[in-house]
Amino acid sequence: MNENSAEPLYHQIESQLRSLIISGQIEEGTLLPSIREFANGLNCSVITVRRVYQDLESEGLLRTKQGTGTFVAKVGTSQREVFRREAVEEALSHAVDVGMSVKCEEDELRELFLSILKRKYHPEKGEGEA
């Protein structure tokens, strides 16, 4: 979690937990920590974690069994693909908004995006190589 981020803490936690579930890094059926344990581990409010769990449950990513706990729900391949695409679209949309707010032109944003894409997917290639 980034305490210096303008993004609310609950949103940071929710985004990271959603990504872990969608990517399969947290498998279906995994028992998550209790709200209190999770809040203590993150050094945040119980209300914050409760909100995260409720939001992800309403999205169908978590399920709660009374008296047992909160588990990662079964996420089908098509549903996983939708969540994956939405997460990337949201991040890219935010990046474009930031670029526009600092007066970047469309071509400049495109060049930046392609440069970052190359650097991330092909770190072994130097800056001058194609």
Side-chain angles (χ1 to χ4, degrees):
M1 303 303 113
N2 181 355
E3 294 175 4
N4 299 321
S5 174
E7 185 179 22
L9 183 60
Y10 85 88
H11 194 266
Q12 292 180 53
I13 297 167
E14 187 176 302
S15 295
Q16 289 186 20
L17 188 53
R18 182 185 295 111
S19 292
L20 291 170
I21 294 168
I22 292 168
S23 69
Q25 292 178 60
I26 301 178
E27 297 178 1
E28 170 191 339
T30 300
L31 174 64
L32 297 179
S34 72
I35 291 172
R36 187 171 308 286
E37 289 171 333
F38 204 175
N40 286 338
L42 293 173
N43 207 17
C44 70
S45 162
V46 169
I47 295 167
T48 299
V49 175
R50 182 177 293 124
R51 180 174 178 185
V52 168
Y53 278 18
Q54 287 173 340
D55 288 354
L56 294 178
E57 188 168 12
S58 72
E59 288 180 27
L61 294 175
L62 298 179
R63 58 185 168 77
T64 301
K65 289 184 178 177
Q66 198 64 31
T68 307
T70 301
F71 298 83
V72 174
K74 179 176 173 61
V75 181
T77 306
S78 62
Q79 187 182 18
R80 187 178 305 275
E81 188 58 35
V82 168
F83 283 127
R84 209 174 122 256
R85 184 174 180 90
E86 286 175 352
V88 173
E89 281 184 19
E90 182 181 330
L92 290 173
S93 180
H94 178 70
V96 170
D97 289 343
V98 170
M100 291 172 72
S101 75
V102 296
K103 306 295 187 224
C104 281
E105 295 295 325
E106 183 178 346
D107 288 341
E108 186 180 2
L109 285 176
R110 184 178 292 110
E111 283 179 35
L112 281 169
F113 174 73
L114 292 174
S115 172
I116 292 167
L117 200 60
K118 279 183 189 176
R119 190 170 62 239
K120 294 286 188 176
Y121 277 94
H122 307 286
E124 68 284 352
K125 292 186 178 182
E127 279 295 314
E129 298 178 46

